[in-house]
Amino acid sequence: MMEARVDPDRSEWDVIVLGGAAAGENAAQYATQFSGLDAVLVEAELLGGECSYWACMPSKALLRPAEVLGGARHVPGVSSLLSGRELDVRAVLARRDTVVNGLDDSSQIRWALGVGIDVVRGYGRLTGERAVTVETAAGGSRALTARHAVVIDTGSRTTVPAIPGMSEAHPWTSRDVTNLREVPRRVVVLGGGVVACEAATWLRALGVEELSVVYRRAGLLARSEPFAGRMVGDQLTAAGVRLLPGRSITEVRRDDPRDTGVGLPHGGEVTVRLDDGSTLVADELVLATGRTPNTEDIGLPTVGCPDGGFLAVDDEQGVRAVDGHWLYAVGDVCGRALLTHMGKYQARVAGEVIAARATGGPAVGAWSGPPGSADGHRGNPQVTFTDPEVGSAGVTEREARAAGLDVATVEYDMAALAGTYVMREDYLGRAKLVIDRDTDTVVGATFVGSGVAELVHSATTAIVARVPLPVLWHVVPSYPTASEVWLRLLETYRAQKQRVG
């Protein structure tokens, strides 16, 4: 861990960012880059945060080899060369280690210092208005003062359910499963959301022999369109994963439980009892049960806020419970959209607001454009990197109807496209648009299939910019690519309207 070269006697900056994850870095950069302000990042762990070392980046490094191998097995001329071949697990894990820089944030420190952002190592807490005290690794403390603003970006952690024996069993969290050092033979995953589905995908690809996914809902990916969860579930089942929907864990017991470090075995055999009385026995239990914001013990009561919980913010990322336009929050702590790219978007908003207020210049942040409120950013893109991939933007049909919108929907089989047929003859995929009848615009889009991640940005653009459907007809997709699904969806929707008419 590289030490930042910061004047040890300095105590005042224009902006203090409490937490140096990706969103916090963005907030500091946008607050300072054109304004003449200065900023400092306060971070106790690795600069770059959860996404860089324990979430987005390592998980995608683990998923990519399986995606490439799976696709190649379905391409004649290549598939015959791969008969009986499996992933080189050691090479995959080594590549993962390269992606996370061996859990070394020296490059991030160099970047911050290079753009004029200081870094103070240690655990920071609010101690009053614009005041932060940092406990250093050496056991000392350092008092910092912000001239203009403090931004909270302390992130979140895996939620540990209050199940008898759960905490004592030292289950694996998302940090463990993305940084695993050796592949267990038997694994139980608790949860049915994005983290659970992605983890099940790479664990099975890496060679876990007995893999069970336990989740309380009837389907996977419950926040997506129902067909997305069904298609992912079918592929997991085909890969040999045991799915246990509508079930919950009532008790956990572990032989010789111990915390041996991230990604290492956490003890002996784990016995998991389910609510129907059955039991599962595994080498590791992985929790994918949601996120808890890291807002306890950061000094919130000293500024009139409750200790813990998500922080309610306004459209400029200002913490609602605190007056004076000096305290902001970005990233997971807001509870708006626990996605790195959305946290960075919020940070850009906050950074430019801070700079505008401090310098008296025009506030031209992203919040003032077509998206409207940062709280209800209409695009809200997301990709689940399973097999098949799930990409979405905007709202689902269920969410749109719950919001009172008069909507129509249209779906299309992506396997019927020339571009996807070239990709693989047994392509599996589906697309759906949710259309606001009143404005004749797209408010939601979901794509399932290989390579659909690259379709999400076009959907986000259509939704955020409120592009009318008659205009979308003139956005010509390239042939032969998966993007041709846009044309087929519009054609299908027109045909549906004509039949109804």
Side-chain angles (χ1 to χ4, degrees):
M1 183 181 288
M2 179 180 177
E3 289 299 325
R5 297 182 296 278
V6 177
D7 180 356
D9 297 323
R10 183 173 181 179
S11 62
E12 192 172 68
W13 282 265
D14 292 316
V15 181
I16 298 173
V17 181
L18 194 57
E25 291 175 330
N26 258 29
Q29 183 179 17
Y30 273 73
T32 61
Q33 62 183 348
F34 301 122
S35 65
L37 301 182
D38 55 36
V40 61
L41 296 164
V42 177
E43 178 55 66
E45 292 190 302
L46 298 177
L47 197 68
E50 200 79 14
C51 176
S52 299
Y53 304 101
W54 302 289
C56 313
M57 296 302 288
S59 66
K60 303 315 166 279
L62 294 171
L63 288 161
R64 177 61 176 160
E67 177 192 3
V68 171
L69 180 60
R73 281 177 169 158
H74 294 269
V75 178
V78 178
S79 57
S80 59
L81 303 177
L82 301 172
S83 178
R85 293 181 181 270
E86 302 296 333
L87 291 177
D88 182 338
V89 174
R90 291 298 115 195
V92 172
L93 298 185
R95 171 60 179 161
R96 183 271 322 274
D97 291 342
T98 298
V99 167
V100 300
N101 291 315
L103 300 181
D104 183 334
D105 64 354
S106 298
S107 62
Q108 293 295 111
I109 294 289
R110 285 192 292 269
W111 167 82
L113 298 178
V115 297
I117 299 169
D118 289 328
V119 180
V120 170
R121 294 282 195 189
Y123 190 93
R125 294 180 180 85
L126 292 164
T127 51
E129 184 172 337
R130 297 184 177 86
V132 171
T133 296
V134 182
E135 291 182 7
T136 66
S141 66
R142 184 172 181 174
L144 312 180
T145 302
R147 300 185 191 96
H148 297 291
V150 175
V151 181
I152 298 174
D153 177 38
T154 47
S156 65
R157 64 187 183 277
T158 299
T159 300
V160 180
I163 296 171
M166 179 65 81
S167 295
E168 294 81 359
H170 295 294
W172 270 10
T173 67
S174 56
R175 287 194 173 194
D176 293 292
V177 74
T178 57
N179 280 269
L180 78 169
R181 298 288 125 190
E182 50 189 71
V183 179
R185 188 176 72 82
R186 303 167 298 174
V187 175
V188 173
V189 177
L190 177 58
V194 172
V195 174
C197 291
E198 289 190 348
T201 300
W202 81 67
L203 286 170
R204 183 60 178 157
L206 289 175
V208 171
E209 296 175 16
E210 298 178 19
L211 179 57
S212 301
V213 182
V214 179
Y215 48 104
R216 289 186 294 181
R217 295 181 182 270
L220 297 170
L221 302 175
R223 294 185 179 180
S224 301
E225 295 287 0
F227 70 85
R230 287 196 299 269
M231 295 177 81
V232 170
D234 288 346
Q235 288 300 96
L236 286 173
T237 299
V241 178
R242 182 184 182 191
L243 301 181
L244 297 170
R247 303 278 180 82
S248 58
I249 294 177
T250 59
E251 183 184 10
V252 179
R253 290 182 286 108
R254 182 165 209 160
D255 299 334
D256 188 25
R258 57 190 185 277
D259 186 354
T260 54
V262 173
L264 294 171
H266 281 188
E269 195 171 77
V270 182
T271 301
V272 174
R273 183 172 297 278
L274 303 183
D275 54 357
D276 64 354
S278 63
T279 59
L280 300 172
V281 179
D283 301 302
E284 295 296 344
L285 169 62
V286 176
L287 296 185
T289 45
R291 308 289 295 179
T292 297
N294 294 324
T295 52
E296 305 98 342
D297 195 29
I298 61 168
L300 288 172
T302 68
V303 295
C305 294
D307 198 26
F310 290 107
L311 296 171
V313 294
D314 60 26
D315 292 347
E316 296 176 342
Q317 298 301 131
V319 177
R320 292 184 183 275
V322 177
D323 296 328
H325 301 297
W326 67 270
L327 186 62
Y328 299 79
V330 298
D332 286 7
V333 294
C334 303
R336 286 177 161 178
L338 277 64
L339 299 164
T340 298
H341 48 273
M342 294 308 296
K344 294 171 74 171
Y345 164 76
Q346 296 161 6
R348 295 193 293 272
V349 171
E352 293 197 7
V353 167
I354 291 166
R357 286 200 170 119
T359 62
V364 291
W367 74 95
S368 64
S373 164
D375 188 35
H377 187 283
R378 290 190 305 275
N380 198 22
Q382 182 171 9
V383 178
T384 303
F385 292 88
T386 44
D387 176 19
E389 287 180 352
V390 178
S392 64
V395 294
T396 62
E397 178 184 357
R398 179 182 63 253
E399 291 168 335
R401 295 191 187 282
L405 296 180
D406 178 17
V407 298
T409 64
V410 59
E411 299 186 29
Y412 194 81
D413 180 3
M414 291 192 63
L417 300 170
T420 57
Y421 177 75
V422 171
M423 190 181 302
R424 52 190 288 180
E425 294 180 7
D426 61 343
Y427 190 94
L428 176 70
R430 191 156 194 83
K432 178 176 180 177
L433 297 182
V434 181
I435 298 163
D436 184 342
R437 294 180 194 268
D438 292 336
T439 61
D440 205 23
T441 59
V442 178
V443 293
T446 299
F447 308 97
V448 176
S450 299
V452 300
E454 301 306 329
L455 292 174
V456 173
H457 193 64
S458 58
T460 307
T461 301
I463 294 166
V464 171
R466 293 189 175 99
V467 180
L469 294 190
V471 175
L472 281 179
W473 274 100
H474 300 285
V475 181
V476 181
S478 300
Y479 181 90
T481 69
S483 63
E484 195 180 12
V485 73
W486 279 99
L487 174 59
R488 302 307 174 211
L489 285 164
L490 293 174
E491 290 173 339
T492 305
Y493 181 58
R494 174 182 283 181
Q496 287 178 185
K497 289 180 69 177
Q498 289 174 343
R499 285 196 298 271
V500 173

PDB file of all heavy atoms in Angstrom, residues 396-425:
ATOM      1  N   THR A 396     -38.879  -1.512 -15.719  1.00  0.00           N
ATOM      2  CA  THR A 396     -39.564  -2.695 -16.223  1.00  0.00           C
ATOM      3  C   THR A 396     -41.039  -2.361 -16.439  1.00  0.00           C
ATOM      4  O   THR A 396     -41.541  -1.314 -15.998  1.00  0.00           O
ATOM      5  CB  THR A 396     -39.464  -3.851 -15.226  1.00  0.00           C
ATOM      6  OG1 THR A 396     -40.119  -3.465 -13.996  1.00  0.00           O
ATOM      7  CG2 THR A 396     -38.010  -4.214 -14.933  1.00  0.00           C
ATOM      8  N   GLU A 397     -41.742  -3.258 -17.105  1.00  0.00           N
ATOM      9  CA  GLU A 397     -43.189  -3.059 -17.295  1.00  0.00           C
ATOM     10  C   GLU A 397     -43.884  -2.946 -15.942  1.00  0.00           C
ATOM     11  O   GLU A 397     -44.761  -2.087 -15.747  1.00  0.00           O
ATOM     12  CB  GLU A 397     -43.772  -4.220 -18.100  1.00  0.00           C
ATOM     13  CG  GLU A 397     -45.276  -4.109 -18.298  1.00  0.00           C
ATOM     14  CD  GLU A 397     -45.877  -5.309 -19.014  1.00  0.00           C
ATOM     15  OE1 GLU A 397     -45.115  -6.216 -19.422  1.00  0.00           O
ATOM     16  OE2 GLU A 397     -47.121  -5.338 -19.160  1.00  0.00           O
ATOM     17  N   ARG A 398     -43.506  -3.793 -15.007  1.00  0.00           N
ATOM     18  CA  ARG A 398     -44.119  -3.771 -13.673  1.00  0.00           C
ATOM     19  C   ARG A 398     -43.900  -2.422 -12.994  1.00  0.00           C
ATOM     20  O   ARG A 398     -44.832  -1.839 -12.427  1.00  0.00           O
ATOM     21  CB  ARG A 398     -43.513  -4.902 -12.832  1.00  0.00           C
ATOM     22  CG  ARG A 398     -44.039  -4.985 -11.407  1.00  0.00           C
ATOM     23  CD  ARG A 398     -43.355  -6.097 -10.629  1.00  0.00           C
ATOM     24  NE  ARG A 398     -41.925  -5.858 -10.488  1.00  0.00           N
ATOM     25  CZ  ARG A 398     -40.978  -6.521 -11.146  1.00  0.00           C
ATOM     26  NH1 ARG A 398     -41.294  -7.451 -12.012  1.00  0.00           N
ATOM     27  NH2 ARG A 398     -39.700  -6.252 -10.947  1.00  0.00           N
ATOM     28  N   GLU A 399     -42.681  -1.911 -13.063  1.00  0.00           N
ATOM     29  CA  GLU A 399     -42.375  -0.627 -12.434  1.00  0.00           C
ATOM     30  C   GLU A 399     -43.116   0.522 -13.114  1.00  0.00           C
ATOM     31  O   GLU A 399     -43.597   1.442 -12.443  1.00  0.00           O
ATOM     32  CB  GLU A 399     -40.865  -0.382 -12.476  1.00  0.00           C
ATOM     33  CG  GLU A 399     -40.071  -1.317 -11.575  1.00  0.00           C
ATOM     34  CD  GLU A 399     -38.574  -1.254 -11.839  1.00  0.00           C
ATOM     35  OE1 GLU A 399     -38.185  -0.883 -12.982  1.00  0.00           O
ATOM     36  OE2 GLU A 399     -37.803  -1.589 -10.932  1.00  0.00           O
ATOM     37  N   ALA A 400     -43.212   0.466 -14.428  1.00  0.00           N
ATOM     38  CA  ALA A 400     -43.899   1.525 -15.156  1.00  0.00           C
ATOM     39  C   ALA A 400     -45.376   1.569 -14.787  1.00  0.00           C
ATOM     40  O   ALA A 400     -45.948   2.646 -14.553  1.00  0.00           O
ATOM     41  CB  ALA A 400     -43.735   1.314 -16.662  1.00  0.00           C
ATOM     42  N   ARG A 401     -46.009   0.413 -14.729  1.00  0.00           N
ATOM     43  CA  ARG A 401     -47.433   0.385 -14.376  1.00  0.00           C
ATOM     44  C   ARG A 401     -47.647   0.815 -12.929  1.00  0.00           C
ATOM     45  O   ARG A 401     -48.625   1.519 -12.623  1.00  0.00           O
ATOM     46  CB  ARG A 401     -48.002  -1.014 -14.632  1.00  0.00           C
ATOM     47  CG  ARG A 401     -47.995  -1.411 -16.102  1.00  0.00           C
ATOM     48  CD  ARG A 401     -48.789  -2.677 -16.365  1.00  0.00           C
ATOM     49  NE  ARG A 401     -48.645  -3.128 -17.741  1.00  0.00           N
ATOM     50  CZ  ARG A 401     -49.288  -2.600 -18.787  1.00  0.00           C
ATOM     51  NH1 ARG A 401     -50.110  -1.578 -18.596  1.00  0.00           N
ATOM     52  NH2 ARG A 401     -49.091  -3.073 -20.009  1.00  0.00           N
ATOM     53  N   ALA A 402     -46.725   0.427 -12.045  1.00  0.00           N
ATOM     54  CA  ALA A 402     -46.845   0.839 -10.645  1.00  0.00           C
ATOM     55  C   ALA A 402     -46.715   2.347 -10.496  1.00  0.00           C
ATOM     56  O   ALA A 402     -47.280   2.948  -9.570  1.00  0.00           O
ATOM     57  CB  ALA A 402     -45.784   0.139  -9.807  1.00  0.00           C
ATOM     58  N   ALA A 403     -45.971   2.980 -11.432  1.00  0.00           N
ATOM     59  CA  ALA A 403     -45.803   4.432 -11.405  1.00  0.00           C
ATOM     60  C   ALA A 403     -46.968   5.159 -12.062  1.00  0.00           C
ATOM     61  O   ALA A 403     -46.973   6.392 -12.135  1.00  0.00           O
ATOM     62  CB  ALA A 403     -44.495   4.807 -12.108  1.00  0.00           C
ATOM     63  N   GLY A 404     -47.948   4.409 -12.554  1.00  0.00           N
ATOM     64  CA  GLY A 404     -49.123   5.018 -13.135  1.00  0.00           C
ATOM     65  C   GLY A 404     -49.016   5.355 -14.605  1.00  0.00           C
ATOM     66  O   GLY A 404     -49.877   6.064 -15.140  1.00  0.00           O
ATOM     67  N   LEU A 405     -47.979   4.852 -15.285  1.00  0.00           N
ATOM     68  CA  LEU A 405     -47.828   5.137 -16.706  1.00  0.00           C
ATOM     69  C   LEU A 405     -48.754   4.246 -17.532  1.00  0.00           C
ATOM     70  O   LEU A 405     -48.983   3.075 -17.194  1.00  0.00           O
ATOM     71  CB  LEU A 405     -46.382   4.920 -17.150  1.00  0.00           C
ATOM     72  CG  LEU A 405     -45.312   5.821 -16.535  1.00  0.00           C
ATOM     73  CD1 LEU A 405     -43.944   5.455 -17.109  1.00  0.00           C
ATOM     74  CD2 LEU A 405     -45.619   7.288 -16.788  1.00  0.00           C
ATOM     75  N   ASP A 406     -49.269   4.799 -18.610  1.00  0.00           N
ATOM     76  CA  ASP A 406     -50.033   4.034 -19.587  1.00  0.00           C
ATOM     77  C   ASP A 406     -49.032   3.487 -20.592  1.00  0.00           C
ATOM     78  O   ASP A 406     -48.521   4.221 -21.450  1.00  0.00           O
ATOM     79  CB  ASP A 406     -51.056   4.944 -20.267  1.00  0.00           C
ATOM     80  CG  ASP A 406     -51.860   4.209 -21.340  1.00  0.00           C
ATOM     81  OD1 ASP A 406     -51.852   2.961 -21.332  1.00  0.00           O
ATOM     82  OD2 ASP A 406     -52.461   4.887 -22.194  1.00  0.00           O
ATOM     83  N   VAL A 407     -48.719   2.214 -20.488  1.00  0.00           N
ATOM     84  CA  VAL A 407     -47.636   1.664 -21.297  1.00  0.00           C
ATOM     85  C   VAL A 407     -48.103   0.563 -22.220  1.00  0.00           C
ATOM     86  O   VAL A 407     -49.099  -0.125 -21.964  1.00  0.00           O
ATOM     87  CB  VAL A 407     -46.479   1.127 -20.413  1.00  0.00           C
ATOM     88  CG1 VAL A 407     -45.863   2.238 -19.596  1.00  0.00           C
ATOM     89  CG2 VAL A 407     -46.942  -0.020 -19.535  1.00  0.00           C
ATOM     90  N   ALA A 408     -47.356   0.406 -23.292  1.00  0.00           N
ATOM     91  CA  ALA A 408     -47.468  -0.737 -24.195  1.00  0.00           C
ATOM     92  C   ALA A 408     -46.117  -1.434 -24.196  1.00  0.00           C
ATOM     93  O   ALA A 408     -45.088  -0.824 -23.870  1.00  0.00           O
ATOM     94  CB  ALA A 408     -47.831  -0.282 -25.598  1.00  0.00           C
ATOM     95  N   THR A 409     -46.101  -2.702 -24.561  1.00  0.00           N
ATOM     96  CA  THR A 409     -44.838  -3.441 -24.607  1.00  0.00           C
ATOM     97  C   THR A 409     -44.706  -4.174 -25.927  1.00  0.00           C
ATOM     98  O   THR A 409     -45.698  -4.491 -26.590  1.00  0.00           O
ATOM     99  CB  THR A 409     -44.740  -4.466 -23.461  1.00  0.00           C
ATOM    100  OG1 THR A 409     -45.759  -5.461 -23.613  1.00  0.00           O
ATOM    101  CG2 THR A 409     -44.893  -3.773 -22.113  1.00  0.00           C
ATOM    102  N   VAL A 410     -43.471  -4.446 -26.288  1.00  0.00           N
ATOM    103  CA  VAL A 410     -43.189  -5.230 -27.480  1.00  0.00           C
ATOM    104  C   VAL A 410     -41.964  -6.087 -27.203  1.00  0.00           C
ATOM    105  O   VAL A 410     -41.020  -5.640 -26.547  1.00  0.00           O
ATOM    106  CB  VAL A 410     -42.970  -4.318 -28.711  1.00  0.00           C
ATOM    107  CG1 VAL A 410     -41.823  -3.349 -28.483  1.00  0.00           C
ATOM    108  CG2 VAL A 410     -42.727  -5.148 -29.967  1.00  0.00           C
ATOM    109  N   GLU A 411     -41.990  -7.341 -27.671  1.00  0.00           N
ATOM    110  CA  GLU A 411     -40.873  -8.257 -27.463  1.00  0.00           C
ATOM    111  C   GLU A 411     -40.447  -8.859 -28.803  1.00  0.00           C
ATOM    112  O   GLU A 411     -41.228  -8.893 -29.769  1.00  0.00           O
ATOM    113  CB  GLU A 411     -41.262  -9.369 -26.483  1.00  0.00           C
ATOM    114  CG  GLU A 411     -41.642  -8.865 -25.101  1.00  0.00           C
ATOM    115  CD  GLU A 411     -41.878  -9.990 -24.098  1.00  0.00           C
ATOM    116  OE1 GLU A 411     -41.256 -11.069 -24.258  1.00  0.00           O
ATOM    117  OE2 GLU A 411     -42.668  -9.790 -23.161  1.00  0.00           O
ATOM    118  N   TYR A 412     -39.199  -9.336 -28.824  1.00  0.00           N
ATOM    119  CA  TYR A 412     -38.682  -9.942 -30.052  1.00  0.00           C
ATOM    120  C   TYR A 412     -37.648 -11.002 -29.697  1.00  0.00           C
ATOM    121  O   TYR A 412     -36.846 -10.818 -28.771  1.00  0.00           O
ATOM    122  CB  TYR A 412     -38.053  -8.879 -30.956  1.00  0.00           C
ATOM    123  CG  TYR A 412     -37.806  -9.370 -32.362  1.00  0.00           C
ATOM    124  CD1 TYR A 412     -38.837  -9.404 -33.283  1.00  0.00           C
ATOM    125  CD2 TYR A 412     -36.542  -9.810 -32.766  1.00  0.00           C
ATOM    126  CE1 TYR A 412     -38.630  -9.869 -34.592  1.00  0.00           C
ATOM    127  CE2 TYR A 412     -36.330 -10.269 -34.055  1.00  0.00           C
ATOM    128  CZ  TYR A 412     -37.379 -10.300 -34.963  1.00  0.00           C
ATOM    129  OH  TYR A 412     -37.165 -10.761 -36.238  1.00  0.00           O
ATOM    130  N   ASP A 413     -37.677 -12.090 -30.429  1.00  0.00           N
ATOM    131  CA  ASP A 413     -36.717 -13.180 -30.253  1.00  0.00           C
ATOM    132  C   ASP A 413     -35.405 -12.803 -30.923  1.00  0.00           C
ATOM    133  O   ASP A 413     -35.329 -12.722 -32.156  1.00  0.00           O
ATOM    134  CB  ASP A 413     -37.278 -14.458 -30.863  1.00  0.00           C
ATOM    135  CG  ASP A 413     -36.341 -15.648 -30.716  1.00  0.00           C
ATOM    136  OD1 ASP A 413     -35.271 -15.494 -30.078  1.00  0.00           O
ATOM    137  OD2 ASP A 413     -36.678 -16.725 -31.236  1.00  0.00           O
ATOM    138  N   MET A 414     -34.368 -12.565 -30.126  1.00  0.00           N
ATOM    139  CA  MET A 414     -33.098 -12.124 -30.696  1.00  0.00           C
ATOM    140  C   MET A 414     -32.414 -13.210 -31.517  1.00  0.00           C
ATOM    141  O   MET A 414     -31.522 -12.927 -32.321  1.00  0.00           O
ATOM    142  CB  MET A 414     -32.173 -11.615 -29.592  1.00  0.00           C
ATOM    143  CG  MET A 414     -32.665 -10.318 -28.979  1.00  0.00           C
ATOM    144  SD  MET A 414     -31.449  -9.527 -27.920  1.00  0.00           S
ATOM    145  CE  MET A 414     -30.136  -9.178 -29.097  1.00  0.00           C
ATOM    146  N   ALA A 415     -32.822 -14.453 -31.333  1.00  0.00           N
ATOM    147  CA  ALA A 415     -32.244 -15.532 -32.138  1.00  0.00           C
ATOM    148  C   ALA A 415     -32.676 -15.442 -33.599  1.00  0.00           C
ATOM    149  O   ALA A 415     -32.081 -16.090 -34.471  1.00  0.00           O
ATOM    150  CB  ALA A 415     -32.650 -16.883 -31.563  1.00  0.00           C
ATOM    151  N   ALA A 416     -33.692 -14.623 -33.884  1.00  0.00           N
ATOM    152  CA  ALA A 416     -34.181 -14.477 -35.257  1.00  0.00           C
ATOM    153  C   ALA A 416     -33.397 -13.444 -36.058  1.00  0.00           C
ATOM    154  O   ALA A 416     -33.719 -13.196 -37.222  1.00  0.00           O
ATOM    155  CB  ALA A 416     -35.663 -14.099 -35.228  1.00  0.00           C
ATOM    156  N   LEU A 417     -32.380 -12.847 -35.487  1.00  0.00           N
ATOM    157  CA  LEU A 417     -31.588 -11.831 -36.167  1.00  0.00           C
ATOM    158  C   LEU A 417     -30.440 -12.471 -36.952  1.00  0.00           C
ATOM    159  O   LEU A 417     -29.841 -13.455 -36.507  1.00  0.00           O
ATOM    160  CB  LEU A 417     -31.007 -10.847 -35.158  1.00  0.00           C
ATOM    161  CG  LEU A 417     -32.001 -10.069 -34.291  1.00  0.00           C
ATOM    162  CD1 LEU A 417     -31.257  -9.336 -33.181  1.00  0.00           C
ATOM    163  CD2 LEU A 417     -32.802  -9.097 -35.130  1.00  0.00           C
ATOM    164  N   ALA A 418     -30.099 -11.880 -38.081  1.00  0.00           N
ATOM    165  CA  ALA A 418     -28.962 -12.370 -38.858  1.00  0.00           C
ATOM    166  C   ALA A 418     -27.662 -12.230 -38.071  1.00  0.00           C
ATOM    167  O   ALA A 418     -26.795 -13.113 -38.097  1.00  0.00           O
ATOM    168  CB  ALA A 418     -28.866 -11.605 -40.177  1.00  0.00           C
ATOM    169  N   GLY A 419     -27.511 -11.114 -37.361  1.00  0.00           N
ATOM    170  CA  GLY A 419     -26.281 -10.871 -36.619  1.00  0.00           C
ATOM    171  C   GLY A 419     -26.039 -11.868 -35.513  1.00  0.00           C
ATOM    172  O   GLY A 419     -24.903 -12.300 -35.289  1.00  0.00           O
ATOM    173  N   THR A 420     -27.095 -12.262 -34.806  1.00  0.00           N
ATOM    174  CA  THR A 420     -26.913 -13.225 -33.719  1.00  0.00           C
ATOM    175  C   THR A 420     -26.723 -14.637 -34.274  1.00  0.00           C
ATOM    176  O   THR A 420     -26.023 -15.458 -33.677  1.00  0.00           O
ATOM    177  CB  THR A 420     -28.112 -13.199 -32.758  1.00  0.00           C
ATOM    178  OG1 THR A 420     -29.326 -13.458 -33.489  1.00  0.00           O
ATOM    179  CG2 THR A 420     -28.207 -11.847 -32.062  1.00  0.00           C
ATOM    180  N   TYR A 421     -27.320 -14.924 -35.439  1.00  0.00           N
ATOM    181  CA  TYR A 421     -27.126 -16.233 -36.063  1.00  0.00           C
ATOM    182  C   TYR A 421     -25.669 -16.423 -36.460  1.00  0.00           C
ATOM    183  O   TYR A 421     -25.101 -17.511 -36.310  1.00  0.00           O
ATOM    184  CB  TYR A 421     -28.032 -16.378 -37.281  1.00  0.00           C
ATOM    185  CG  TYR A 421     -27.830 -17.671 -38.024  1.00  0.00           C
ATOM    186  CD1 TYR A 421     -28.328 -18.868 -37.516  1.00  0.00           C
ATOM    187  CD2 TYR A 421     -27.131 -17.694 -39.225  1.00  0.00           C
ATOM    188  CE1 TYR A 421     -28.138 -20.066 -38.198  1.00  0.00           C
ATOM    189  CE2 TYR A 421     -26.936 -18.889 -39.922  1.00  0.00           C
ATOM    190  CZ  TYR A 421     -27.440 -20.069 -39.397  1.00  0.00           C
ATOM    191  OH  TYR A 421     -27.240 -21.251 -40.065  1.00  0.00           O
ATOM    192  N   VAL A 422     -25.049 -15.370 -36.963  1.00  0.00           N
ATOM    193  CA  VAL A 422     -23.632 -15.445 -37.308  1.00  0.00           C
ATOM    194  C   VAL A 422     -22.787 -15.654 -36.055  1.00  0.00           C
ATOM    195  O   VAL A 422     -21.778 -16.366 -36.063  1.00  0.00           O
ATOM    196  CB  VAL A 422     -23.195 -14.167 -38.058  1.00  0.00           C
ATOM    197  CG1 VAL A 422     -21.680 -14.128 -38.224  1.00  0.00           C
ATOM    198  CG2 VAL A 422     -23.877 -14.085 -39.406  1.00  0.00           C
ATOM    199  N   MET A 423     -23.219 -15.036 -34.971  1.00  0.00           N
ATOM    200  CA  MET A 423     -22.473 -15.159 -33.718  1.00  0.00           C
ATOM    201  C   MET A 423     -22.454 -16.607 -33.238  1.00  0.00           C
ATOM    202  O   MET A 423     -21.423 -17.142 -32.876  1.00  0.00           O
ATOM    203  CB  MET A 423     -23.120 -14.261 -32.657  1.00  0.00           C
ATOM    204  CG  MET A 423     -22.311 -14.114 -31.385  1.00  0.00           C
ATOM    205  SD  MET A 423     -23.162 -13.063 -30.156  1.00  0.00           S
ATOM    206  CE  MET A 423     -23.370 -11.540 -31.096  1.00  0.00           C
ATOM    207  N   ARG A 424     -23.634 -17.245 -33.238  1.00  0.00           N
ATOM    208  CA  ARG A 424     -23.725 -18.660 -32.914  1.00  0.00           C
ATOM    209  C   ARG A 424     -25.078 -19.177 -33.368  1.00  0.00           C
ATOM    210  O   ARG A 424     -26.106 -18.524 -33.189  1.00  0.00           O
ATOM    211  CB  ARG A 424     -23.497 -18.933 -31.424  1.00  0.00           C
ATOM    212  CG  ARG A 424     -24.326 -18.143 -30.469  1.00  0.00           C
ATOM    213  CD  ARG A 424     -23.861 -18.319 -29.033  1.00  0.00           C
ATOM    214  NE  ARG A 424     -24.167 -19.627 -28.486  1.00  0.00           N
ATOM    215  CZ  ARG A 424     -23.853 -20.006 -27.230  1.00  0.00           C
ATOM    216  NH1 ARG A 424     -23.171 -19.177 -26.446  1.00  0.00           N
ATOM    217  NH2 ARG A 424     -24.161 -21.189 -26.783  1.00  0.00           N
ATOM    218  N   GLU A 425     -25.092 -20.367 -33.947  1.00  0.00           N
ATOM    219  CA  GLU A 425     -26.310 -20.899 -34.554  1.00  0.00           C
ATOM    220  C   GLU A 425     -27.380 -21.205 -33.524  1.00  0.00           C
ATOM    221  O   GLU A 425     -28.574 -21.216 -33.854  1.00  0.00           O
ATOM    222  CB  GLU A 425     -25.973 -22.151 -35.366  1.00  0.00           C
ATOM    223  CG  GLU A 425     -25.092 -21.871 -36.573  1.00  0.00           C
ATOM    224  CD  GLU A 425     -24.770 -23.120 -37.349  1.00  0.00           C
ATOM    225  OE1 GLU A 425     -25.346 -24.179 -37.026  1.00  0.00           O
ATOM    226  OE2 GLU A 425     -23.954 -23.052 -38.289  1.00  0.00           O
TER     227      GLU A 425
END
